[in-house]
Coordinates of all heavy atoms in Angstrom, one line a residue:
L30 N -38.2 70.4 -23.1 CA -37.3 71.6 -23.0 C -36.4 71.7 -24.2 O -36.1 72.8 -24.7 CB -36.6 71.6 -21.7 CG -37.5 71.8 -20.5 CD1 -36.6 71.6 -19.2 CD2 -38.1 73.1 -20.5
L31 N -35.8 70.5 -24.6 CA -34.9 70.5 -25.7 C -35.6 70.9 -27.0 O -35.0 71.6 -27.9 CB -34.2 69.1 -25.9 CG -33.2 68.7 -24.8 CD1 -32.8 67.3 -25.0 CD2 -32.0 69.7 -24.8
I32 N -36.8 70.4 -27.2 CA -37.5 70.8 -28.4 C -37.8 72.3 -28.5 O -37.7 73.0 -29.5 CB -38.8 70.0 -28.5 CG1 -38.5 68.5 -28.8 CG2 -39.7 70.5 -29.6 CD1 -39.7 67.6 -28.7
L33 N -38.2 72.9 -27.3 CA -38.5 74.3 -27.2 C -37.2 75.1 -27.5 O -37.3 76.1 -28.2 CB -39.1 74.6 -25.9 CG -40.5 74.1 -25.6 CD1 -40.9 74.4 -24.1 CD2 -41.5 74.7 -26.6
L34 N -36.1 74.6 -26.9 CA -34.8 75.3 -27.2 C -34.5 75.2 -28.6 O -34.0 76.2 -29.2 CB -33.7 74.7 -26.3 CG -32.3 75.3 -26.4 CD1 -32.4 76.8 -26.1 CD2 -31.4 74.5 -25.6
A35 N -34.7 74.1 -29.3 CA -34.3 73.9 -30.7 C -35.2 74.8 -31.6 O -34.7 75.5 -32.5 CB -34.5 72.5 -31.1
L36 N -36.5 74.9 -31.2 CA -37.4 75.8 -32.0 C -37.0 77.3 -31.8 O -37.0 78.1 -32.7 CB -38.8 75.6 -31.5 CG -39.5 74.3 -31.9 CD1 -40.9 74.2 -31.3 CD2 -39.5 74.1 -33.5
F37 N -36.5 77.6 -30.6 CA -36.1 79.0 -30.3 C -34.9 79.3 -31.1 O -34.7 80.4 -31.7 CB -35.8 79.2 -28.8 CG -35.3 80.5 -28.5 CD1 -36.1 81.7 -28.5 CD2 -33.9 80.7 -28.2 CE1 -35.6 82.9 -28.1 CE2 -33.4 81.9 -27.9 CZ -34.2 83.0 -27.8
M38 N -33.9 78.4 -31.1 CA -32.7 78.6 -31.9 C -32.9 78.6 -33.4 O -32.2 79.3 -34.1 CB -31.6 77.5 -31.5 CG -31.2 77.5 -30.1 SD -30.5 79.0 -29.5 CE -28.9 79.0 -30.4
M39 N -33.9 77.9 -33.8 CA -34.2 77.8 -35.3 C -35.2 78.9 -35.7 O -35.5 78.9 -36.9 CB -34.8 76.4 -35.6 CG -33.8 75.3 -35.5 SD -34.6 73.7 -35.9 CE -35.0 74.0 -37.6
G40 N -35.6 79.7 -34.7 CA -36.6 80.7 -35.1 C -36.3 81.6 -36.2 O -37.0 81.8 -37.2
P41 N -35.1 82.2 -36.2 CA -34.7 83.1 -37.4 C -34.7 82.4 -38.7 O -35.1 82.9 -39.7 CB -33.3 83.7 -37.0 CG -33.3 83.6 -35.5 CD -34.1 82.3 -35.1
F42 N -34.2 81.1 -38.7 CA -34.1 80.3 -39.9 C -35.5 80.0 -40.4 O -35.8 80.2 -41.6 CB -33.3 79.1 -39.7 CG -33.3 78.1 -40.9 CD1 -32.4 78.3 -41.9 CD2 -34.1 77.0 -40.9 CE1 -32.4 77.5 -43.0 CE2 -34.1 76.2 -42.0 CZ -33.2 76.4 -43.0
L43 N -36.4 79.6 -39.5 CA -37.7 79.3 -39.9 C -38.5 80.5 -40.4 O -39.3 80.4 -41.4 CB -38.5 78.6 -38.7 CG -38.0 77.3 -38.3 CD1 -38.7 76.8 -37.0 CD2 -38.0 76.2 -39.4
W44 N -38.3 81.6 -39.8 CA -38.9 82.9 -40.2 C -38.4 83.3 -41.6 O -39.1 83.7 -42.5 CB -38.6 84.0 -39.3 CG -39.2 85.3 -39.7 CD1 -40.4 85.8 -39.6 CD2 -38.4 86.4 -40.3 NE1 -40.6 87.0 -40.1 CE2 -39.3 87.5 -40.5 CE3 -37.1 86.6 -40.6 CZ2 -38.9 88.7 -41.1 CZ3 -36.7 87.8 -41.2 CH2 -37.6 88.8 -41.4
L45 N -37.1 83.1 -41.8 CA -36.5 83.4 -43.2 C -37.1 82.5 -44.2 O -37.4 82.9 -45.3 CB -35.0 83.3 -43.1 CG -34.2 83.9 -44.2 CD1 -34.3 85.4 -44.2 CD2 -32.7 83.6 -44.1
L46 N -37.2 81.2 -43.9 CA -37.8 80.3 -44.8 C -39.3 80.6 -45.1 O -39.7 80.6 -46.3 CB -37.8 78.9 -44.3 CG -38.4 77.8 -45.1 CD1 -37.7 77.6 -46.4 CD2 -38.4 76.4 -44.3
S47 N -39.9 81.1 -44.2 CA -41.3 81.5 -44.4 C -41.4 82.7 -45.3 O -42.2 82.8 -46.2 CB -42.0 81.8 -43.0 OG -43.3 82.3 -43.2
V48 N -40.5 83.7 -45.0 CA -40.5 84.9 -45.8 C -40.2 84.6 -47.3 O -40.8 85.2 -48.2 CB -39.5 85.9 -45.3 CG1 -39.3 87.1 -46.2 CG2 -40.0 86.4 -43.9
S49 N -39.3 83.6 -47.5 CA -38.9 83.3 -48.9 C -40.0 82.7 -49.7 O -40.0 82.6 -50.9 CB -37.7 82.3 -48.9 OG -38.1 81.1 -48.4
L50 N -41.1 82.2 -49.0 CA -42.2 81.6 -49.7 C -43.4 82.5 -49.8 O -44.5 82.0 -50.1 CB -42.6 80.3 -48.9 CG -41.5 79.2 -48.8 CD1 -42.0 78.1 -47.9 CD2 -41.2 78.7 -50.2
M51 N -43.2 83.8 -49.5 CA -44.3 84.8 -49.6 C -44.0 85.8 -50.6 O -43.4 86.8 -50.3 CB -44.5 85.5 -48.2 CG -45.0 84.5 -47.1 SD -45.5 85.4 -45.6 CE -43.9 86.0 -45.1
P52 N -44.3 85.5 -51.9 CA -44.0 86.5 -52.9 C -44.8 87.7 -52.9 O -46.0 87.7 -52.6 CB -44.3 85.7 -54.2 CG -45.4 84.7 -53.8 CD -45.0 84.3 -52.4
G53 N -44.1 88.9 -53.1 CA -44.8 90.2 -53.2 C -45.4 90.7 -51.9 O -46.3 91.5 -51.8
R54 N -44.9 90.2 -50.7 CA -45.4 90.6 -49.4 C -44.3 91.3 -48.6 O -43.2 90.8 -48.5 CB -45.9 89.4 -48.7 CG -46.5 89.7 -47.3 CD -47.8 90.5 -47.3 NE -48.2 90.8 -46.0 CZ -49.0 90.0 -45.3 NH1 -49.4 88.9 -45.8 NH2 -49.4 90.4 -44.1
N55 N -44.6 92.5 -48.1 CA -43.7 93.2 -47.2 C -43.8 92.6 -45.8 O -44.8 92.7 -45.1 CB -44.0 94.6 -47.2 CG -42.9 95.4 -46.4 OD1 -42.1 94.8 -45.7 ND2 -42.9 96.8 -46.5
V56 N -42.8 91.8 -45.4 CA -42.9 91.1 -44.1 C -42.8 92.0 -42.9 O -43.1 91.6 -41.8 CB -41.7 90.1 -44.0 CG1 -41.8 89.0 -45.1 CG2 -40.3 90.7 -44.1
F57 N -42.4 93.3 -43.1 CA -42.4 94.2 -42.0 C -43.6 95.1 -41.9 O -43.6 96.1 -41.2 CB -41.1 95.1 -42.1 CG -39.8 94.3 -42.1 CD1 -39.1 94.1 -43.2 CD2 -39.4 93.7 -40.8 CE1 -37.9 93.4 -43.1 CE2 -38.2 93.0 -40.8 CZ -37.5 92.8 -41.9
A58 N -44.6 94.7 -42.7 CA -45.9 95.4 -42.7 C -46.6 95.1 -41.3 O -46.2 94.2 -40.6 CB -46.7 95.1 -43.9
S59 N -47.6 95.9 -41.0 CA -48.3 95.7 -39.8 C -49.7 95.1 -40.2 O -50.4 95.7 -41.0 CB -48.5 97.0 -39.0 OG -49.2 96.8 -37.8
P60 N -50.1 94.0 -39.6 CA -49.3 93.1 -38.7 C -48.3 92.3 -39.5 O -48.5 92.0 -40.6 CB -50.4 92.2 -38.1 CG -51.4 92.1 -39.1 CD -51.5 93.4 -39.8
P61 N -47.2 91.9 -38.8 CA -46.2 91.1 -39.6 C -46.7 89.8 -39.9 O -47.4 89.1 -39.1 CB -45.0 91.1 -38.6 CG -45.6 91.3 -37.2 CD -46.8 92.2 -37.4
A62 N -46.2 89.2 -41.1 CA -46.6 87.9 -41.5 C -45.5 86.9 -41.0 O -44.4 87.0 -41.5 CB -46.8 87.9 -43.0
I63 N -45.9 86.0 -40.1 CA -45.0 85.0 -39.6 C -45.0 83.8 -40.4 O -43.9 83.2 -40.8 CB -45.3 84.7 -38.2 CG1 -45.3 86.0 -37.3 CG2 -44.3 83.7 -37.6 CD1 -44.0 86.7 -37.3
L64 N -46.2 83.3 -40.8 CA -46.3 82.1 -41.6 C -46.8 82.4 -43.0 O -47.7 83.3 -43.1 CB -47.3 81.1 -40.9 CG -46.8 80.6 -39.5 CD1 -47.9 79.7 -38.9 CD2 -45.5 79.8 -39.6
P65 N -46.4 81.7 -44.0 CA -46.8 82.0 -45.3 C -48.3 81.6 -45.5 O -48.7 80.6 -45.0 CB -45.9 81.2 -46.2 CG -45.5 80.0 -45.3 CD -45.4 80.6 -43.9
T66 N -49.1 82.5 -46.2 CA -50.5 82.1 -46.4 C -50.6 81.1 -47.4 O -51.6 80.3 -47.4 CB -51.2 83.4 -46.9 OG1 -50.5 83.9 -48.0 CG2 -51.3 84.5 -45.8
F67 N -49.7 81.0 -48.4 CA -49.6 79.9 -49.3 C -48.1 79.7 -49.7 O -47.3 80.6 -49.6 CB -50.4 80.1 -50.5 CG -50.0 81.3 -51.4 CD1 -49.2 81.1 -52.5 CD2 -50.4 82.6 -51.0 CE1 -48.8 82.2 -53.2 CE2 -50.1 83.6 -51.8 CZ -49.2 83.5 -52.9
I68 N -47.8 78.5 -50.2 CA -46.4 78.2 -50.6 C -46.2 78.4 -52.1 O -46.9 77.8 -52.9 CB -46.0 76.8 -50.2 CG1 -46.1 76.6 -48.7 CG2 -44.6 76.4 -50.7 CD1 -45.8 75.2 -48.2
A69 N -45.2 79.3 -52.4 CA -44.9 79.5 -53.8 C -43.4 79.7 -53.9 O -42.8 80.2 -53.0 CB -45.7 80.7 -54.3
F70 N -42.8 79.3 -55.0 CA -41.4 79.4 -55.2 C -41.0 80.5 -56.2 O -39.9 80.4 -56.8 CB -40.9 78.0 -55.7 CG -41.0 76.9 -54.6 CD1 -42.1 76.1 -54.7 CD2 -40.1 76.7 -53.6 CE1 -42.3 75.1 -53.7 CE2 -40.3 75.7 -52.7 CZ -41.4 74.9 -52.7
D71 N -41.9 81.4 -56.4 CA -41.6 82.5 -57.3 C -40.3 83.3 -57.0 O -39.5 83.6 -57.8 CB -42.8 83.5 -57.4 CG -44.0 82.8 -57.9 OD1 -43.9 81.7 -58.5 OD2 -45.1 83.3 -57.8
N72 N -40.1 83.5 -55.6 CA -38.9 84.3 -55.2 C -37.7 83.6 -55.6 O -36.7 84.2 -56.0 CB -39.0 84.5 -53.7 CG -40.0 85.5 -53.3 OD1 -40.3 86.4 -54.0 ND2 -40.6 85.3 -52.1
Y73 N -37.6 82.3 -55.4 CA -36.4 81.5 -55.8 C -36.2 81.5 -57.3 O -35.0 81.7 -57.7 CB -36.6 80.0 -55.3 CG -36.6 79.9 -53.8 CD1 -37.8 79.9 -53.1 CD2 -35.5 79.6 -53.1 CE1 -37.8 79.7 -51.7 CE2 -35.4 79.4 -51.7 CZ -36.6 79.5 -51.1 OH -36.6 79.4 -49.7
V74 N -37.2 81.4 -58.1 CA -37.0 81.4 -59.5 C -36.5 82.8 -60.0 O -35.6 82.9 -60.8 CB -38.3 81.0 -60.2 CG1 -38.2 81.2 -61.8 CG2 -38.7 79.6 -59.9

């Protein structure tokens, strides 16, 4: 239960981290992309 609660509380942060690793992708497109298809740091650079 504590792990599930922690994942629920960290949900927005984990989603934001995932979005930051998806270059050139509209995250609000249909269907929404929850997990990155590949990891790239282009957005950060």
Side-chain angles (χ1 to χ4, degrees):
L30 291 177
L31 289 175
I32 291 173
L33 291 176
L34 179 62
L36 291 175
F37 175 76
M38 299 298 292
M39 293 178 62
F42 175 80
L43 295 177
W44 177 79
L45 197 65
L46 176 63
S47 177
V48 170
S49 68
L50 298 174
M51 293 189 294
R54 177 70 182 274
N55 187 348
V56 296
F57 298 107
S59 181
I63 304 299
L64 297 176
T66 55
F67 64 94
I68 296 177
F70 296 94
D71 296 345
N72 289 328
Y73 290 90
V74 175

